[in-house]
Amino acid sequence: MPPLLRAPPLAGVLPLPENVGYNRDVRPILADTCFKCHGFDKNTRKADLRLDLREAALAKIDDIFPIVPGKPEASEVWKRITTK
C-alpha cells in the first residue's frame, strides 16, 4: 500500500499546533475580533460579557456559560461563532 499523502495547508492558513495555548493561539484572535465589544472598555461592552478576563469568560450569565474549557459544544461562544 502506498503511504498516505498529506495535503499542504491552504495558502495563508497555518496548521494547528499540537497543543493550543491561550495566550499564544487564542487571545490574539479574541483581541483582533472580539475585545472591541467584549473587552475591558465597559462603555463599548455588549451584553456585559467580558472575554479579556478568564474569570468573566467562564462565569455563568443568565444560565449560560460563555466558555466551557475543553467542551466547545457546551460553550455559548462556540455555538454563536459556528452557527448562522
Side-chain angles (χ1 to χ4, degrees), residues 58-67 74-77 79-80:
L58 302 181
K60 189 175 184 180
I61 301 172
D62 297 331
D63 294 326
I64 296 171
F65 289 95
I67 297 176
S75 302
E76 187 66 21
V77 168
K79 290 174 189 174
R80 291 184 185 213

Side-chain angles (χ1 to χ4, degrees), residues 3-83:
L4 294 175
L5 299 176
R6 290 180 154 232
L10 298 172
V13 177
L14 298 175
L16 289 175
E18 192 168 314
N19 295 310
V20 176
Y22 177 79
N23 283 326
R24 182 191 69 217
D25 303 308
V26 178
R27 188 174 177 88
I29 295 168
L30 294 176
D32 287 344
T33 58
C34 305
F35 287 176
K36 180 180 176 188
C37 297
H38 299 291
F40 65 91
D41 186 350
K42 67 179 178 180
N43 295 318
T44 60
R45 197 173 310 132
K46 308 238 184 213
D48 296 325
L49 172 60
R50 286 188 75 163
L51 296 174
D52 61 321
L53 297 175
R54 178 181 172 84
E55 303 79 35
L58 302 181
K60 189 175 184 180
I61 301 172
D62 297 331
D63 294 326
I64 296 171
F65 289 95
I67 297 176
V68 180
K71 296 182 181 180
E73 68 284 348
S75 302
E76 187 66 21
V77 168
W78 178 254
K79 290 174 189 174
R80 291 184 185 213
I81 290 171
T82 59
T83 61

